[in-house]
Amino acid sequence: MPTLIPLRTSGPGRPSASRLLLGSVSHTARIRPIFAANGNTAEGPFLSPFRLNWHARQRSLHAWAIQNKGAIELDGLDARRGDGRTVPCVQSQATPPKGFPSRLEGPMSWTGNQYKGKPELYVSRLRQDDVEHIENAVLHFQALGIPRGLLSPDTFPLPDHLRRHLRSIRHEINSGRGFHVLRGLRPSDYTEEEIIVLYAGLTSHVASHRAACIDHIRYEKTDERLGAHLRPTELPVSMGFHTDADAGSILSMFTQNMGASGGDQHLSSFWRVYNTLMEEQPRVLTRLAERWYWEKPSVADGAGTSTTMHRPIVAQVDGKAQINFGRSFVAGHPRYPLRADAPPLRRSQLLALDSLLAAARRHSFRLDQQVGDMLFVNNLSIMHGRDAFSDGTDDESQRHVLRLWLLDRGDDTSWPIAEALDYRHSPLYDVDPTVQKLMTLTEWRSLERTLRVTVAGTSRSHD
């Protein structure tokens, strides 16, 4: 139940609006009377416009509101306390956006405490004979002498029990908790080409389609020294919670090296975030379901053209809420500001973004991560973020993660992408397999950065 914040309501000689200051964030509240059981307007202590001592007043205000069965409604979004937590307004009806469910139920609605420090709940380990079967499939494909883009379950054959294991991962992504880690591979045992074949081959058993490129996510310090305008994926910086926008229904990542320190991955269930917002701040969901101005870069150096669109951040299909979100696309980024003619965000939109991210942090957990892990994430229901990291001096301590976006249309558990999201993923997938860019790190490094970013791999995104 949300904390109730009572104010003196409208009446003779009383203001119809008050300035509410909670911590360092102010919010104008239009006060709508909520009537007590006897039908009279509820009365209570007036919260004057000075910095409130939250901890000193919270209990008495809460008790007053329960006693009088009254509270206020804010015309807009909820205010925030000085410690960053949200003070939810009490609304007469917690109504979801049109067509959305009032609550999302199932294993995908989890909180981070369920998995914090419990990798056995989401990690499956390959047996030694499984690894040998995978290595045999690599050799089989290489003997065919065909382009890497033709990797498929047919050209990367696995025994039935291993196929079932990989299909069970797809089921977990679509109908279970929404993420899974496959463990037991050692990248140092393989050549660069074998790594790419192994990765694309295994993922072909998990999802029916893959993007045309494998990204090498690492600190591109050489390009930085040459003056390139790097994106966050190319820098050792932290990255807030997001999904890979317009990238497909499944995100996969294959850890090659961990770096010297930092770089931890964090996951958060958007379904649990949705339920939290419905309980505490339903108007945030209404804002997120509205059409927002989006801007995505289309060239590497940040000085060229960009694609603009108007579309929501959240949508739903068959009662399943979905999210497509990167804050920089709607609010800009210090390194990649929006165009000068971009419409400014309204205050309610900024508060909606803050509330979304605060709820994501609240329900998140740090993923247990090892070299060789292959992570699969539902990119429409699970948000992810990353800590800043530091590289060491040797190759083994240079953080290096492969990323391959997947689109699953394989069975009746697959997620159709909500039409309202106006998803722009076709250029990633509508590529002739013979020209897919499934590159090794050496091949990747040999390209000019402009080609790497716009043609060969790195997403046309900031996040």
Side-chain angles (χ1 to χ4, degrees), residues 165-324:
H165 186 179
L166 296 173
R167 282 199 298 270
S168 72
I169 292 176
R170 177 172 65 192
H171 185 270
E172 192 66 62
I173 300 307
N174 291 331
S175 303
R177 63 183 163 265
F179 69 97
H180 188 82
V181 173
L182 185 65
R183 181 169 290 172
L185 297 166
R186 298 201 312 177
S188 59
D189 288 347
Y190 308 108
T191 66
E192 285 188 323
E193 182 179 7
E194 289 169 344
I195 285 289
I196 298 300
V197 172
L198 181 154
Y199 184 28
L202 283 177
T203 54
S204 72
H205 288 270
V206 175
S208 59
H209 297 73
R210 66 168 166 265
C213 319
I214 287 180
D215 290 343
H216 294 261
I217 300 176
R218 52 198 296 274
Y219 178 21
E220 300 291 354
K221 55 179 70 70
T222 300
D223 291 317
E224 186 176 43
R225 286 194 294 267
L226 295 174
H229 196 46
L230 300 184
R231 295 173 179 171
T233 48
E234 303 170 288
L235 291 165
V237 298
S238 62
M239 299 175 66
F241 281 103
H242 62 283
T243 64
D244 282 14
D246 301 296
S249 56
I250 299 176
L251 163 69
S252 72
M253 305 179 82
F254 187 16
T255 302
Q256 306 299 292
N257 293 316
M258 295 282 287
S261 63
D264 289 334
Q265 297 277 355
H266 300 261
L267 301 182
S268 185
S269 164
F270 170 65
W271 278 27
R272 175 52 66 99
V273 168
Y274 180 97
N275 290 340
T276 295
L277 294 176
M278 271 301 303
E279 293 167 4
E280 299 178 0
Q281 299 172 272
R283 286 177 179 162
V284 168
L285 290 173
T286 300
R287 293 289 185 274
L288 297 175
E290 295 171 350
R291 288 163 62 86
W292 293 57
Y293 173 85
W294 283 64
E295 190 174 311
K296 297 186 70 177
S298 54
V299 297
D301 59 9
T305 61
S306 58
T307 300
T308 63
M309 62 205 84
H310 289 82
R311 60 183 183 176
I313 292 171
V314 302
Q316 65 84 33
V317 175
D318 300 329
K320 292 181 178 179
Q322 302 179 359
I323 182 168
N324 185 43

